[in-house]
Amino acid sequence: EYDILVVAAGLQQNFNVVPGLKETMGKNSVASIYSLDYSPVVWQNIQALNSGKAIFTNPCTAVNCGGAPQKIAYLAEAEWRKRGVRDSIDIEFITATPGIFACPEYRVALEKQMAAKGISPSVKTNLIEVDGDKKIAVFEKEGGEIVTKEFDFLHVTPPMSSPDFVKNSPLANAVGFVDVDKETCQHNKYPNVFALGDCSSLPTSKTYSAISSQAPVVVSNVQSLMEEKEATRIYDGYTACPVLLGDSQLMLAEFNGYTMEAIPTFWPLDQTKPNAFFYWLKRFVFEHVYWHAMPNGRWYGKYMFFEPWAQHKAESTETKATGPTPSEHAALKAQVAAPSTGTSQASSSSSSDS
Ligand SMILES: Cc1cc2nc3c(=O)[nH]c(=O)nc-3n(C[C@H](O)[C@H](O)[C@H](O)COP(=O)(O)OP(=O)(O)OC[C@H]3O[C@@H](n4cnc5c(N)ncnc54)[C@H](O)[C@@H]3O)c2cc1C
């Protein structure tokens, strides 16, 4: 039993849904940074490649950190250049998404980076099969055309989803994510349930930096609920993605994931241009933040160590159509706890059932 539930269960990597992929992971020059088991193999494969075709893929599903599938391509490209084998390697970045990055301003900038580095992008092209022994990857383009490519190096970003236990629970929306209000992070049906991060339905990129802005909202709204008040603090869609480009350069893409507008913090720096300052910021400051400030609730996303003025939505006087108010919920819970009242659990509270 619980009074309040906060769900932050992350994503599940589904290597098994692409035929042939699971069987060849970690072998035949196929690996992925999206798995603890296979990420060391990515580095070994980069080191082992001296010539041929290198393919980096990105699926049509939501993934952790939309930029990571191409970051690894930039890092590999830099390494091959450093080793003097770059001219012998043909690099392709093949994504099932309509563009290589969600926010248009950074997408244009990243397309330029790819062009400058000689990485060929293909969009709307989904990996559908891998034959590891023959080193062949099969793709389906929008419209159904099937394209077969031989590879000497394959980095796969697997299709992902919310974990099965979330997907199959009453908390999930139609596509399996915990169905929460995009501002308050409160469940749309069960007011005593909140979700944040990758397993939530919050319609923005699934990044740690977005979560750093979602977490204070959830904390504040849970506190409101405990005080029998309405959850009114709102998450505005702030999202960031530090795109490593190799050569100690980084593009710090900060944007509103709800409106897709770029919202750079570091004026007057042009954040569509990579630089070494952001690289060192990511490498040392963000690492410290990750281990020491974020887990202690001392990091507020774009406001860094300073808690911002909380943004609130106007308090509504109406009861949410789909769920009880906090006091109604408490009353229902009391009824469930006291079976002598004759109220059946199934009919009394959807919140308890969740
Ligand atoms: C390769 C890679 C690079 C990335 N780079 C960046 C970056 O540069 N910047 C950035 O902002 N973000 C980045 N991200 C994204 C970031 O890591 C995620 O967005 C973030 O970790 C999601 O946090 P979460 O709490 O939602 O889920 P997770 O961090 O996945 O945590 C979920 C937790 O729930 C646990 N769990 C799952 N199921 C159960 C269960 N049944 N019972 C109990 N516990 C359970 C899991 O074990 C896990 O500990 C990257 C991600 C990857 C994979």
Side-chain angles (χ1 to χ4, degrees), residues 185-198:
C185 305
Q186 186 177 30
H187 199 276
N188 283 318
K189 199 165 168 199
Y190 307 111
N192 62 333
V193 176
F194 293 81
L196 71 166
D198 293 4

Side-chain angles (χ1 to χ4, degrees), residues 8-11 33-34 64-65 68 71 165 196-199 206-209 211 240 242 282:
L11 288 182
I33 54 168
Y34 280 94
N64 323 100
C65 188
K71 291 181 207 177
F165 79 94
L196 71 166
D198 293 4
C199 73
K206 299 191 178 298
T207 71
Y208 159 81
S209 46
I211 296 165
K282 155 101 177 156

Side-chain angles (χ1 to χ4, degrees), residues 46-332:
I46 291 172
Q47 292 300 308
L49 190 72
N50 294 314
S51 63
K53 183 180 281 290
I55 298 177
F56 295 82
T57 71
N58 185 41
C60 54
T61 65
V63 299
N64 323 100
C65 188
Q70 63 188 285
K71 291 181 207 177
I72 185 63
Y74 300 128
L75 294 175
E77 191 275 339
E79 179 60 24
W80 289 323
R81 203 159 11 89
K82 205 165 97 191
R83 286 201 1 246
V85 296
R86 174 66 187 89
D87 291 345
S88 311
I89 299 173
D90 176 21
I91 309 177
E92 289 195 51
F93 177 72
I94 304 181
T95 175
T97 53
I100 65 165
F101 199 78
C103 172
E105 207 166 317
Y106 297 107
R107 177 167 69 230
V108 171
L110 287 166
E111 282 166 355
K112 287 183 188 152
Q113 289 294 326
M114 280 208 179
K117 292 172 186 297
I119 300 174
S120 315
S122 301
V123 297
K124 299 180 182 174
T125 308
N126 194 25
L127 179 70
I128 56 165
E129 194 174 342
V130 180
D131 184 332
D133 293 333
K134 294 188 180 144
K135 293 199 171 179
I136 288 173
V138 184
F139 295 88
E140 182 175 13
K141 286 170 111 62
E142 191 188 42
E145 187 192 344
I146 303 295
V147 181
T148 300
K149 288 178 186 278
E150 290 183 17
F151 63 83
D152 299 285
F153 171 106
L154 181 63
H155 179 274
V156 178
T157 301
M160 299 181 202
S161 64
S162 62
D164 289 339
F165 79 94
V166 169
K167 221 187 300 177
N168 300 326
S169 78
L171 302 181
N173 67 9
V175 287
F177 295 107
V178 183
D179 185 18
V180 290
D181 181 275
K182 71 176 205 171
E183 292 186 321
T184 60
C185 305
Q186 186 177 30
H187 199 276
N188 283 318
K189 199 165 168 199
Y190 307 111
N192 62 333
V193 176
F194 293 81
L196 71 166
D198 293 4
C199 73
S200 74
S201 64
L202 298 172
T204 188
S205 299
K206 299 191 178 298
T207 71
Y208 159 81
S209 46
I211 296 165
S212 65
S213 291
Q214 295 159 12
V217 171
V218 172
V219 169
S220 174
N221 285 339
V222 165
Q223 207 163 356
S224 296
L225 199 74
M226 290 166 95
E227 292 164 5
E228 299 220 349
K229 293 184 193 145
E230 221 181 308
T232 57
R233 186 154 169 183
I234 60 174
Y235 165 59
D236 61 5
Y238 173 79
T239 303
C241 181
V243 185
L244 288 156
L245 287 148
D247 309 310
S248 305
Q249 296 286 306
L250 187 139
M251 183 187 295
L252 186 55
E254 285 186 291
F255 55 100
N256 184 314
Y258 293 169
T259 61
M260 286 302 158
E261 278 170 287
I263 42 170
T265 300
F266 293 89
W267 185 88
L269 291 177
D270 178 355
Q271 289 187 215
T272 64
K273 298 213 162 44
N275 67 38
F277 167 68
F278 292 141
Y279 172 80
W280 293 109
L281 194 68
K282 155 101 177 156
R283 185 151 174 198
F284 292 113
V285 179
F286 291 172
E287 185 186 335
H288 179 84
V289 164
Y290 181 86
W291 290 111
H292 305 292
M294 178 86 172
N296 303 333
R298 293 207 310 266
W299 182 258
Y300 299 98
K302 87 179 266 162
Y303 302 97
M304 299 180 223
F305 293 100
F306 309 101
E307 182 164 12
W309 290 111
Q311 287 177 273
H312 289 275
K313 69 175 187 183
E315 278 206 40
S316 106
T317 47
E318 289 170 22
T319 304
K320 255 191 154 184
T322 49
T325 61
S327 45
E328 282 168 347
H329 173 250
L332 288 166

